[in-house]
Amino acid sequence: MSTIMRIKLISRLWAAAAMLLSVSPALAADSPLDIRTAWLTAKLYGNDNDGASLRRVVITEDRGEGYTVLIENQFGFLCDLQFGEDGHPEQLSGCVSQSSRQGDEEAWVVLEPQVIRLNCAKLPKEFVCRGNYILASGNFILGRAEMAIAMPRSALPQKEAEPINQPTLAFCTADKVNIRSEPSTAGSIAGQLNAGRVVLTGMQNTGEGAWYELVLPNAPGSGWVFADYIALPDAPMPDLAQIILDFGNTPAKAKAIFGEPDSIAQSAAPSMAGSGGISEETLFYPGHQAVYSKGTLSKVVLETGSTLGLGRWKLGQQASSCLVLGEPEKQGDIWTFMISPTDYLRFTIKNDQIAGAEYQSAGTD
């Protein structure tokens, strides 16, 4: 079986793995027990229904038989609380004002639903769980009101960033993820990422959690992304990461590195014909040409006489320098190496030297 055919088969498995990596990281992947402990020990608060102020929230364990929560909004609700398997509050039930349990017949009571389901999410500075309900009497916000339990994000168990000591290929797991100018939500927004491959160059653990430094996708410089939105593979794949760094993962990044190309060729897939959509763009430079499929680097070819490197390899090097990649598939003077389940390097070998070099992603054949 040829290398290309084998890559195409493996790429399906790789795509399946990428789908797993792209699960939204709305909830932290920490120990459920540690997360529950945070809810029981942190300083909690809840928003007033009109958003005018914050109100104190207290969660109490009832002799190991369950949990209750007092939400001191204008109704002073006391509810039974159930945690989910992830350690976060999941639902409220039996919600009545605290005075009602002391015999006050005029106290506020939740009419419906009997069980208030909570939706939890990370916000820039807090983790908040919300649920809607309708009062038994009276009319508030057109009959609907909101119960909210929140705590500062800093109270949650903080994910530790794995050390980065070389360019590391990783994956952004969500769309519209902010890139910050510094490892903090207080940093200015330097750009955004969508789900897909990124190259990491550093890491830092802060009081706000773990952050990774990465090269900006469309401009010079670097920025920081919160680690919750980054998935690292088992292996850093530094050769592939370095190629993406050197040639730019987007056309805009390539132009930021090399300037305007000598020429540009564009093409559209048959399904996009007549729509003006560009599926492939090739930038021609004196020493190389780079192909971008749907805006992402998919191929690099070093031109004869180029002084650029394809990762650690340059034209004119000894052929034996390629063997650190393993055993190649040889077809005449062409040596092909897989460097990931979907990417490969191809070298032309003449007189025991590298006479040609090419990187390509299997999805572009």
Side-chain angles (χ1 to χ4, degrees):
M1 180 184 297
S2 71
T3 298
I4 304 303
M5 292 177 64
R6 186 162 63 248
I7 291 174
K8 285 182 176 294
L9 289 173
I10 296 176
S11 66
R12 295 188 179 183
L13 297 177
W14 187 251
M19 289 180 65
L20 293 176
L21 287 170
S22 66
V23 174
S24 174
L27 306 185
D30 300 292
S31 163
L33 182 60
D34 291 341
I35 294 174
R36 183 178 301 181
T37 299
W39 284 104
L40 295 174
T41 57
K43 183 177 180 180
L44 307 182
Y45 49 91
N47 69 301
D48 198 348
N49 280 291
D50 59 8
S53 62
L54 298 177
R55 303 298 179 93
R56 190 169 71 107
V57 172
V58 179
I59 297 176
T60 304
E61 187 172 8
D62 186 14
R63 296 183 297 278
E65 298 178 358
Y67 300 91
T68 58
V69 58
L70 174 62
I71 302 174
E72 294 185 348
N73 58 10
Q74 65 270 52
F75 308 121
F77 274 126
L78 187 65
C79 307
D80 295 320
L81 169 66
Q82 180 176 316
F83 287 95
E85 293 182 358
D86 57 11
H88 293 289
E90 183 177 61
Q91 64 183 39
L92 305 174
S93 59
C95 293
V96 297
S97 62
Q98 188 176 28
S99 60
S100 174
R101 297 198 177 186
Q102 300 169 353
D104 185 347
E105 295 181 357
E106 297 182 358
W108 294 100
V109 178
V110 169
L111 174 64
E112 59 181 49
Q114 292 183 343
V115 175
I116 302 173
R117 303 287 181 181
L118 299 177
N119 293 313
C120 299
K122 280 187 178 181
L123 301 181
K125 295 185 179 180
E126 64 185 357
F127 195 102
V128 61
C129 299
R130 295 189 177 100
N132 293 318
Y133 63 94
I134 298 176
L135 297 172
S137 60
N139 186 25
F140 193 84
I141 310 182
L142 301 178
R144 297 188 67 82
E146 181 183 80
M147 208 86 74
I149 307 172
M151 67 172 159
R153 280 182 59 156
S154 59
L156 284 170
Q158 297 299 319
K159 178 178 179 180
E160 291 288 314
E162 297 181 37
I164 299 295
N165 52 23
Q166 60 185 330
T168 298
L169 188 70
F171 299 86
C172 179
T173 59
D175 288 329
K176 297 182 179 179
V177 175
N178 286 333
I179 305 173
R180 299 282 180 174
S181 60
E182 57 186 271
S184 168
T185 53
S188 60
I189 297 176
Q192 284 192 326
L193 287 178
N194 287 325
R197 297 196 303 194
V198 296
V199 175
L200 308 181
T201 56
M203 49 72 65
Q204 188 168 327
N205 293 308
T206 73
E208 292 186 13
W211 293 79
Y212 284 112
E213 186 176 23
L214 78 166
V215 175
L216 295 180
N218 295 310
S222 62
W224 295 85
V225 172
F226 199 58
D228 281 9
Y229 302 109
I230 298 295
L232 275 70
D234 292 335
M237 291 185 276
D239 295 317
L240 179 53
Q242 192 63 54
I243 290 170
I244 293 173
L245 277 181
D246 290 343
F247 293 95
N249 199 36
T250 65
K253 186 67 177 182
K255 293 174 184 178
I257 297 172
F258 297 103
E260 288 295 323
D262 292 345
S263 61
I264 299 175
Q266 297 176 339
S267 62
S271 60
M272 303 174 69
S275 66
I278 299 171
S279 66
E280 187 171 279
E281 187 171 19
T282 303
L283 307 186
F284 295 90
Y285 288 97
H288 75 285
Q289 53 181 279
V291 181
Y292 296 86
S293 296
K294 297 181 180 179
T296 301
L297 183 68
S298 59
K299 184 176 181 179
V300 175
V301 178
L302 297 187
E303 301 289 358
T304 301
S306 175
T307 59
L308 298 173
L310 199 62
R312 70 183 91 173
W313 298 279
K314 292 186 176 182
L315 303 185
Q317 281 184 333
Q318 291 296 307
S320 58
S321 65
C322 304
L323 298 180
V324 295
L325 293 168
E327 186 64 28
E329 178 177 300
K330 297 181 179 180
Q331 293 182 335
D333 57 2
I334 304 297
W335 293 10
T336 302
F337 300 85
M338 292 179 62
I339 56 174
S340 90
T342 58
D343 302 88
Y344 63 89
L345 292 177
R346 176 180 290 152
F347 299 99
T348 301
I349 306 299
K350 293 183 179 180
N351 299 322
D352 203 33
Q353 291 184 331
I354 300 175
E358 175 185 320
Y359 155 73
Q360 188 159 342
S361 170
T364 63
D365 271 343

